[in-house]
Short mmCIF file of all heavy atoms in Angstrom, two decimals:
data_model
loop_
_atom_site.label_atom_id
_atom_site.label_comp_id
_atom_site.label_asym_id
_atom_site.label_seq_id
_atom_site.Cartn_x
_atom_site.Cartn_y
_atom_site.Cartn_z
N ILE G 1 157.34 12.36 44.16
CA ILE G 1 157.64 11.76 45.45
C ILE G 1 158.56 12.73 46.20
O ILE G 1 159.70 12.94 45.80
CB ILE G 1 158.35 10.39 45.30
CG1 ILE G 1 157.57 9.47 44.37
CG2 ILE G 1 158.60 9.76 46.65
CD1 ILE G 1 156.20 9.09 44.84
N VAL G 2 158.05 13.32 47.27
CA VAL G 2 158.84 14.27 48.07
C VAL G 2 159.18 13.59 49.38
O VAL G 2 158.36 13.53 50.30
CB VAL G 2 158.06 15.59 48.30
CG1 VAL G 2 158.90 16.57 49.09
CG2 VAL G 2 157.62 16.18 46.97
N LEU G 3 160.39 13.05 49.45
CA LEU G 3 160.82 12.27 50.61
C LEU G 3 160.74 13.07 51.91
O LEU G 3 160.40 12.52 52.95
CB LEU G 3 162.24 11.74 50.41
CG LEU G 3 162.72 10.75 51.45
CD1 LEU G 3 161.90 9.47 51.39
CD2 LEU G 3 164.18 10.44 51.26
N ASP G 4 160.98 14.36 51.86
CA ASP G 4 160.92 15.18 53.08
C ASP G 4 159.54 15.11 53.73
O ASP G 4 159.43 15.12 54.95
CB ASP G 4 161.27 16.64 52.77
CG ASP G 4 162.75 16.84 52.51
OD1 ASP G 4 163.55 15.94 52.84
OD2 ASP G 4 163.11 17.89 51.95
N ASP G 5 158.49 15.04 52.92
CA ASP G 5 157.13 14.93 53.46
C ASP G 5 156.97 13.64 54.25
O ASP G 5 156.38 13.63 55.33
CB ASP G 5 156.09 15.00 52.35
CG ASP G 5 156.02 16.37 51.68
OD1 ASP G 5 156.57 17.34 52.25
OD2 ASP G 5 155.44 16.44 50.59
N TRP G 6 157.48 12.56 53.71
CA TRP G 6 157.39 11.27 54.40
C TRP G 6 158.22 11.27 55.68
O TRP G 6 157.77 10.80 56.72
CB TRP G 6 157.82 10.13 53.48
CG TRP G 6 157.77 8.80 54.13
CD1 TRP G 6 156.66 8.07 54.42
CD2 TRP G 6 158.88 8.02 54.59
NE1 TRP G 6 157.01 6.88 55.04
CE2 TRP G 6 158.38 6.84 55.15
CE3 TRP G 6 160.26 8.22 54.58
CZ2 TRP G 6 159.19 5.86 55.69
CZ3 TRP G 6 161.07 7.24 55.12
CH2 TRP G 6 160.54 6.08 55.67
N VAL G 7 159.42 11.83 55.62
CA VAL G 7 160.29 11.88 56.80
C VAL G 7 159.60 12.68 57.91
O VAL G 7 159.60 12.26 59.08
CB VAL G 7 161.67 12.47 56.45
CG1 VAL G 7 162.48 12.77 57.70
CG2 VAL G 7 162.44 11.52 55.54
N ASP G 8 159.00 13.81 57.56
CA ASP G 8 158.29 14.61 58.56
C ASP G 8 157.15 13.81 59.19
O ASP G 8 156.97 13.82 60.41
CB ASP G 8 157.72 15.89 57.93
CG ASP G 8 158.80 16.88 57.54
OD1 ASP G 8 159.96 16.74 57.99
OD2 ASP G 8 158.49 17.80 56.75
N GLN G 9 156.40 13.10 58.36
CA GLN G 9 155.28 12.28 58.83
C GLN G 9 155.77 11.18 59.76
O GLN G 9 155.21 10.95 60.83
CB GLN G 9 154.58 11.69 57.61
CG GLN G 9 153.64 10.55 57.87
CD GLN G 9 153.24 9.86 56.57
OE1 GLN G 9 152.81 10.53 55.64
NE2 GLN G 9 153.38 8.57 56.50
N GLU G 10 156.83 10.50 59.38
CA GLU G 10 157.34 9.38 60.16
C GLU G 10 158.02 9.82 61.46
O GLU G 10 157.99 9.11 62.45
CB GLU G 10 158.31 8.54 59.33
CG GLU G 10 157.66 7.85 58.15
CD GLU G 10 156.52 6.93 58.56
OE1 GLU G 10 156.78 5.92 59.23
OE2 GLU G 10 155.36 7.23 58.21
N SER G 11 158.61 11.00 61.45
CA SER G 11 159.28 11.51 62.65
C SER G 11 158.30 11.67 63.81
O SER G 11 158.67 11.53 64.97
CB SER G 11 159.94 12.85 62.36
OG SER G 11 160.98 12.68 61.43
N LEU G 12 157.04 11.94 63.49
CA LEU G 12 156.02 12.09 64.52
C LEU G 12 155.64 10.77 65.17
O LEU G 12 155.06 10.76 66.25
CB LEU G 12 154.78 12.76 63.92
CG LEU G 12 154.98 14.16 63.34
CD1 LEU G 12 153.71 14.62 62.63
CD2 LEU G 12 155.39 15.13 64.43
N LYS G 13 155.96 9.66 64.53
CA LYS G 13 155.58 8.33 65.03
C LYS G 13 156.58 7.75 66.03
O LYS G 13 156.33 6.71 66.62
CB LYS G 13 155.43 7.36 63.87
CG LYS G 13 154.31 7.70 62.93
CD LYS G 13 154.25 6.68 61.81
CE LYS G 13 153.17 6.98 60.81
NZ LYS G 13 153.17 5.99 59.71
N GLY G 14 157.74 8.37 66.16
CA GLY G 14 158.75 7.85 67.08
C GLY G 14 159.29 6.51 66.61
O GLY G 14 159.59 6.32 65.43
N ARG G 15 159.36 5.56 67.53
CA ARG G 15 159.94 4.24 67.22
C ARG G 15 159.13 3.44 66.21
O ARG G 15 159.63 2.51 65.60
CB ARG G 15 160.10 3.42 68.48
CG ARG G 15 161.07 4.02 69.44
CD ARG G 15 161.31 3.12 70.60
NE ARG G 15 162.74 3.20 70.85
CZ ARG G 15 163.46 2.24 71.34
NH1 ARG G 15 162.90 1.10 71.65
NH2 ARG G 15 164.75 2.40 71.54
N ASP G 16 157.85 3.79 66.05
CA ASP G 16 156.99 3.06 65.11
C ASP G 16 157.13 3.57 63.68
O ASP G 16 156.53 3.02 62.77
CB ASP G 16 155.53 3.15 65.54
CG ASP G 16 155.27 2.44 66.85
OD1 ASP G 16 155.98 1.46 67.15
OD2 ASP G 16 154.37 2.88 67.59
N GLY G 17 157.90 4.62 63.49
CA GLY G 17 158.03 5.21 62.17
C GLY G 17 159.12 4.56 61.33
O GLY G 17 159.84 3.67 61.77
N PHE G 18 159.20 5.02 60.11
CA PHE G 18 160.22 4.61 59.16
C PHE G 18 160.18 3.11 58.83
O PHE G 18 161.19 2.43 58.86
CB PHE G 18 161.62 5.02 59.65
CG PHE G 18 161.75 6.51 59.79
CD1 PHE G 18 161.57 7.11 61.02
CD2 PHE G 18 161.99 7.29 58.68
CE1 PHE G 18 161.66 8.49 61.15
CE2 PHE G 18 162.09 8.67 58.80
CZ PHE G 18 161.92 9.27 60.05
N SER G 19 158.98 2.66 58.50
CA SER G 19 158.82 1.26 58.07
C SER G 19 158.66 1.20 56.56
O SER G 19 158.26 2.17 55.92
CB SER G 19 157.60 0.62 58.74
OG SER G 19 156.41 1.18 58.22
N MET G 20 158.99 0.06 56.02
CA MET G 20 158.81 -0.15 54.58
C MET G 20 157.34 -0.01 54.22
O MET G 20 157.01 0.61 53.21
CB MET G 20 159.34 -1.54 54.19
CG MET G 20 159.11 -1.87 52.73
SD MET G 20 160.08 -0.89 51.60
CE MET G 20 161.57 -1.85 51.60
N ALA G 21 156.46 -0.56 55.05
CA ALA G 21 155.02 -0.50 54.75
C ALA G 21 154.55 0.95 54.64
O ALA G 21 153.83 1.30 53.70
CB ALA G 21 154.24 -1.24 55.82
N SER G 22 154.96 1.81 55.57
CA SER G 22 154.51 3.20 55.51
C SER G 22 155.14 3.92 54.32
O SER G 22 154.50 4.79 53.71
CB SER G 22 154.82 3.94 56.81
OG SER G 22 156.20 4.09 56.99
N PHE G 23 156.36 3.56 53.95
CA PHE G 23 157.00 4.18 52.80
C PHE G 23 156.28 3.78 51.51
O PHE G 23 156.03 4.62 50.65
CB PHE G 23 158.47 3.78 52.74
CG PHE G 23 159.29 4.56 51.75
CD1 PHE G 23 159.32 5.94 51.79
CD2 PHE G 23 160.06 3.92 50.80
CE1 PHE G 23 160.09 6.68 50.90
CE2 PHE G 23 160.84 4.64 49.90
CZ PHE G 23 160.84 6.02 49.95
N LEU G 24 155.91 2.52 51.39
CA LEU G 24 155.18 2.06 50.21
C LEU G 24 153.81 2.75 50.12
O LEU G 24 153.40 3.16 49.03
CB LEU G 24 155.02 0.54 50.24
CG LEU G 24 156.31 -0.26 50.13
CD1 LEU G 24 156.03 -1.74 50.33
CD2 LEU G 24 157.01 -0.02 48.80
N GLU G 25 153.14 2.89 51.26
CA GLU G 25 151.84 3.59 51.27
C GLU G 25 152.01 5.04 50.84
O GLU G 25 151.20 5.57 50.08
CB GLU G 25 151.22 3.52 52.67
CG GLU G 25 150.71 2.15 53.03
CD GLU G 25 150.29 2.06 54.50
OE1 GLU G 25 150.05 3.11 55.14
OE2 GLU G 25 150.21 0.93 54.99
N PHE G 26 153.07 5.69 51.34
CA PHE G 26 153.33 7.08 50.97
C PHE G 26 153.55 7.21 49.46
O PHE G 26 153.00 8.10 48.82
CB PHE G 26 154.56 7.59 51.74
CG PHE G 26 154.99 8.95 51.31
CD1 PHE G 26 154.29 10.08 51.75
CD2 PHE G 26 156.08 9.13 50.47
CE1 PHE G 26 154.69 11.35 51.35
CE2 PHE G 26 156.47 10.39 50.07
CZ PHE G 26 155.77 11.51 50.51
N ILE G 27 154.33 6.31 48.89
CA ILE G 27 154.59 6.36 47.45
C ILE G 27 153.30 6.13 46.67
O ILE G 27 153.00 6.86 45.73
CB ILE G 27 155.67 5.34 47.05
CG1 ILE G 27 157.02 5.79 47.59
CG2 ILE G 27 155.73 5.18 45.53
CD1 ILE G 27 158.14 4.78 47.42
N ASP G 28 152.52 5.13 47.07
CA ASP G 28 151.25 4.85 46.40
C ASP G 28 150.33 6.07 46.43
O ASP G 28 149.72 6.42 45.42
CB ASP G 28 150.56 3.64 47.01
CG ASP G 28 151.24 2.33 46.67
OD1 ASP G 28 152.05 2.29 45.70
OD2 ASP G 28 150.99 1.33 47.38
#
């Protein structure tokens, strides 16, 4: 699990980023 990859992905989403659902999907 490389958190930096998820942070980069979510940063592109703006206000819609950094949700629990997207974090769980990333981990899965």
